[in-house]
Amino acid sequence: MSERTPLLHYRLSTSVNEQSGEHQPCLSREAVEQSPAVSRRKSAHHSRPKKLSTFFGVVIPTLLSMFSVVVFLRIGLVVGQCGLYQAIAMFLVAYFIISMTVLSVCAISTNGALDAGGAYYMISRALGPEFGGSLGVMFFLANVCSSALYILGLVEAIVATFGLPEDGMSPAGSLQVLPAGYWWSLLYATGILLLCLLVCLVGAEIYAKASFLIFLVVMLVLATIFISFFAVRPRTILLPAAPPVHNGTGPQPPTMANFTGFKLDTLLGNLDADYAVDYTTGTMMSFATVFAVMFNGCTGIMAGSNMSGDLKNPSYSIPRGTITAVIFTFIIYNLLSLMVACSCDRILLQRDYSFLRDINVWNPFVTVGVYSSTMSAAMSNLIGASRILYALARDDLFGTALSPAKKTSRNGNPWVSVLLSWFLVQLVLFTGKLNTIASIVTIFFLLVYAAVDLACLALEWASAPNFRPTFRYFTWHTCVLGIVGCAVMMFLINSIYASASIAFMLLLLLLIHYLSPTSSWGYISQALIFHQVRKYLLMLDVRKDHVKFWRPQVLLMVSNPRSSVGLITFINDIKKSGLYVLGHVQLGDLDTLPSDPLQCRYDSWLSLVDHLNIKAFVNLTLADSVRHGVQHLLFISGLGGMRPNTLVLGFYDDCTPKDKLTDPALTDAAVATQDPEDEHPPYHFPALRASNDGKEEGNGENGKVMGPQEYVAVIADAMKMLKNVALARYFHQFDRASTISSSQGKGALYVDVWPVNLLRPDSSSYVDTCSLFLLQLACVLNMVRAWRHARLRLFLCVEEGRSLRGSEEKLGQLLKELRIKANVYTVPWDQQVALHWQRQGEAGKRRPSRQSQREEEGVGKRGLFEEEEGDNDYVNSFPSNATRLSDEYLSAVNKLILEQARPPPAVRFLYLPRPPADTRRYTAYLRQLDLLTKDLGPTLLIHGVTPVLTTDL
């Protein structure tokens, strides 16, 4: 079967060169990875022939990893302590857990080729670098401790065969010539570990070539063990010496035990549990401690998946080979347990872990089997630990801390990683006893298995189209069962070790999250978030919207972010956990362009969002005019129930924009070549215009791209679409950090609200929809953490002849019912109104007299929040006699606003009337807004079209 050619993932988009206007191709990361240079670096890997079959590449490594200490040295412990019933139950539980994990391993391994690192590679590429790195360290430690465990098991077997009795009183056999004791055992373990180190330093090829020979030896020994149960006659066996109990005054443990052959009485005596003291450690055994020892015989299930790079057909071999090995070992363990329970006294099983050697047809057979299997497993885990450490170092998840582990020899052997792994194994050997570290090894492996199940579960729940493994015999139920099983057994074995290992993993996760660079592996969290967000967006029904739960959802139109940093950060404060979209219109016609010029610009905009630390989306559009572009964005921005309800525009004026994004002395060429790690990252936004001939937002790259007529038309369009509108002026002077910090050092921070239509002095209503919208936005700003100490100042404009105190009390009652804390100031403006009436004449006074009469009579509680439709339209509309609204009046009102600003506020909220119905008056409308807000500092002109306040619970 020929090897499949990998698909070339290539994405081509174009970017507009700011200087030349040429369209240049933008290559994605996938295309870069397929470049000739990268291909040459990978050629050595792909040139190696993949020649291992399922049997040699998966079955043999998995069986050798699973047949080790347990099958030869601990099967008596399991049956002798737990009894046959609990032993079989224990094997069922253990194999249920690993079977669920095997299904997950098969699913992930058949979804793509695996690289060095085994489980670490699977977890990191599925769950991302944080989980992958932290669990990779745990898997590395599990292999280190497992290698030490196998070496200690080998030492135990050597001492049991050749060691002198520790009590000095028991007669020594002809082969018992080695000194025994803790330090002697440590010396033997160190020597064996040095032998493993030499093999690993030479290369893993030696172990790979010998694996088949070791497999034959292990199978031969297993065959002789099963034959011995039938061929060997009953006999009495001398038990190893045990420490005396009760200071030598009580009954001493027996020194002899019987191999009875197949007898019913022996089987009945071994059915139930009888937990006793472990003669090697002196600790009382329990189901959990025995399970911890037994489970080490089930921790080799990933040995085959680690060989995927050398298999002829990984998708075929890994599932079949791993499952075959698991089923075979399960059958062997249960058959061996049954035969042992039928033929051996419980005392023999509890007091002699090497009894299989004593009842074998030829004793050295079992000794050879123990030595070969444990030595093979120890070297396998040492090699595996070094490869995981090398993979961790190569991925740069821990920065320079693991950089020495990247070094390799000429043949590619990571010798530094081997030395580091050897050193850690040597430290673990100081524990001295196999059963002491068995719990730690088991918990580490259970944690890694749970992570593999979690990775498969996340891929399945994310419903990613590219997750389509050829192995389909799994569901999310099997993943959940595997996770739950691993978690339960971890805490049953040792809750302290389990809690400590999880805490250590979370600490590593946080460390990697904050210190490691962004990876190109893909983050499963993004797929899961997408899946959940889509589900909840479908549940967000716009028909169930209620004014009680209204929040601002803002579309901010930005022409050039270089001059809009202050406005962008301010709107981020005022959104109150609502939707926030940065919109931008690029002028152009897609019919005349080779490709979409916006695709290459998204990265710069998203980098801007990260740099300013705001919570916003980015939406760019291509249109033939700014007006049409804004219409596009108002129609299409958002999704489902999350759509903008407020449009924010920069004011159309002649102010010279200032670049707040980078150093003003930095040229475009310098920006383009700036180091990405600099404090100010490069943004490919056009340079600002040099002349005072445009507005703050909406200007093009080389000056204005829209006139005042089109600008006001954009405002009118938004109001027709029932969108609230805010015009932001002088926010190029606004610096959020300096404003907040200076206010905290010098005194209070003020926000001024003028809830009256200053372009219609013949109306003095403060309770129309637009006025309440101003109050709501000011209150929302005041609820933000950085603005909580700000004081709201509400200015009430009154004319002569009206009760100042009554108006102030009425507004105070309104604020109280709306739960808005603000200071109310009455501002007489008779002089300013007089300037207006000088040009209006007496005819214009008829309507305001009726309005004043109605307000003096009182509108009741209803009048605080509800206006008649005709009155509301009258109040917030642009006057039909706009041409007769004098510049003197507007300048006087502007001066009045400035005079009330003692001390000056951080921002002002003013009432924005509707544009006139006659489009010929758009220019006059914009000019009067300009005169009204001249030199006021950061100001928001706001027009609300929907109710946003309520007194209902």
Side-chain angles (χ1 to χ4, degrees), residues 100-119:
M100 299 300 101
T101 304
V102 164
L103 297 180
S104 299
V105 169
C106 294
I108 297 177
S109 61
T110 57
N111 193 51
L114 298 180
D115 204 348

Side-chain angles (χ1 to χ4, degrees), residues 226-497:
F226 282 105
I227 293 173
S228 299
F229 284 110
F230 298 93
V232 175
R233 295 180 178 181
R235 63 179 62 177
T236 300
I237 298 173
L238 180 67
L239 299 178
V245 296
H246 302 294
N247 297 323
T249 60
Q252 298 303 311
T255 59
M256 308 292 289
N258 296 320
F259 170 71
T260 65
F262 291 103
K263 285 188 177 183
L264 181 61
D265 292 340
T266 305
L267 174 62
L268 294 177
N270 288 326
L271 290 179
D272 297 324
D274 183 17
Y275 294 104
V277 176
D278 177 19
Y279 77 94
T280 63
T281 61
T283 59
M284 187 66 184
M285 303 303 289
S286 64
F287 182 89
T289 54
V290 175
F291 181 85
V293 176
M294 183 276 302
F295 193 78
N296 286 282
C298 309
T299 56
I301 58 175
M302 294 185 183
S305 61
N306 293 337
M307 303 290 291
S308 62
D310 299 310
L311 298 174
K312 290 181 180 178
N313 191 343
S315 298
Y316 176 88
S317 299
I318 290 177
R320 289 165 176 79
T322 305
I323 293 175
T324 300
V326 168
I327 294 175
F328 181 76
T329 56
F330 177 74
I331 294 174
I332 293 298
Y333 280 141
N334 282 277
L335 282 178
L336 197 56
S337 299
L338 178 61
M339 291 187 174
V340 165
C342 292
S343 59
C344 299
D345 283 344
R346 188 179 290 270
I347 295 298
L348 177 63
L349 300 179
Q350 292 180 344
R351 291 293 315 281
D352 187 3
Y353 296 155
S354 302
F355 74 97
L356 290 177
R357 179 197 60 201
D358 298 323
I359 66 173
N360 198 271
V361 292
W362 189 52
N363 293 357
F365 264 138
V366 176
T367 302
V368 172
V370 171
Y371 293 175
S372 60
S373 63
T374 51
M375 190 74 173
S376 170
M379 285 190 296
S380 175
N381 279 274
L382 182 60
I383 291 173
S386 64
R387 297 309 187 265
I388 296 169
L389 183 61
Y390 172 66
L392 286 167
R394 191 178 57 183
D395 287 338
D396 289 324
L397 296 183
F398 294 92
T400 58
L402 295 180
S403 56
K406 297 180 183 179
K407 296 182 180 179
T408 60
S409 61
R410 292 182 179 178
N411 61 354
N413 187 30
W415 60 273
V416 176
S417 297
V418 173
L419 290 176
L420 291 175
S421 303
W422 162 81
F423 176 73
L424 292 178
V425 173
Q426 182 63 59
L427 293 180
V428 178
L429 289 178
F430 280 95
T431 58
K433 297 296 181 182
L434 185 151
N435 291 359
T436 304
I437 62 173
S439 298
I440 301 175
V441 175
T442 302
I443 287 174
F444 280 176
F445 274 109
L446 283 171
L447 190 61
V448 173
Y449 291 169
V452 173
D453 289 322
L454 179 63
C456 188
L457 177 66
L459 291 169
E460 179 70 9
W461 275 356
S463 300
N466 282 322
F467 181 64
R468 43 180 184 269
T470 57
F471 181 84
R472 296 302 305 168
Y473 299 101
F474 77 100
T475 66
W476 67 268
H477 304 86
T478 61
C479 300
V480 171
L481 289 174
I483 295 171
V484 172
C486 291
V488 169
M489 293 313 303
M490 281 173 57
F491 284 93
L492 284 180
I493 291 170
N494 193 310
S495 58
I496 297 177
Y497 287 168

Side-chain angles (χ1 to χ4, degrees), residues 64 207 210-219 372-373 375-376 379:
L64 288 178
Y207 165 71
S211 60
F212 181 62
L213 178 61
I214 295 174
F215 171 76
L216 292 179
V217 171
V218 171
M219 291 298 105
S372 60
S373 63
M375 190 74 173
S376 170
M379 285 190 296

Side-chain angles (χ1 to χ4, degrees), residues 589-601:
D589 186 357
L590 196 59
D591 291 339
T592 63
L593 298 173
S595 61
D596 184 3
L598 300 177
Q599 293 302 317
C600 287
R601 301 201 172 191

Side-chain angles (χ1 to χ4, degrees), residues 786-828:
W787 293 83
R788 282 180 183 172
H789 62 284
R791 298 180 183 178
L792 298 185
R793 298 189 299 193
L794 191 59
F795 293 95
L796 179 62
C797 297
V798 295
E799 299 180 46
E800 184 180 0
R802 295 189 58 190
S803 172
L804 299 182
R805 186 174 181 84
S807 300
E808 187 173 350
E809 290 179 352
K810 179 181 176 181
L811 187 57
Q813 180 65 24
L814 170 64
L815 296 176
K816 183 178 179 180
E817 295 188 10
L818 295 176
R819 291 92 61 204
I820 297 176
K821 185 178 180 181
N823 297 323
V824 180
Y825 298 89
T826 55
V827 181

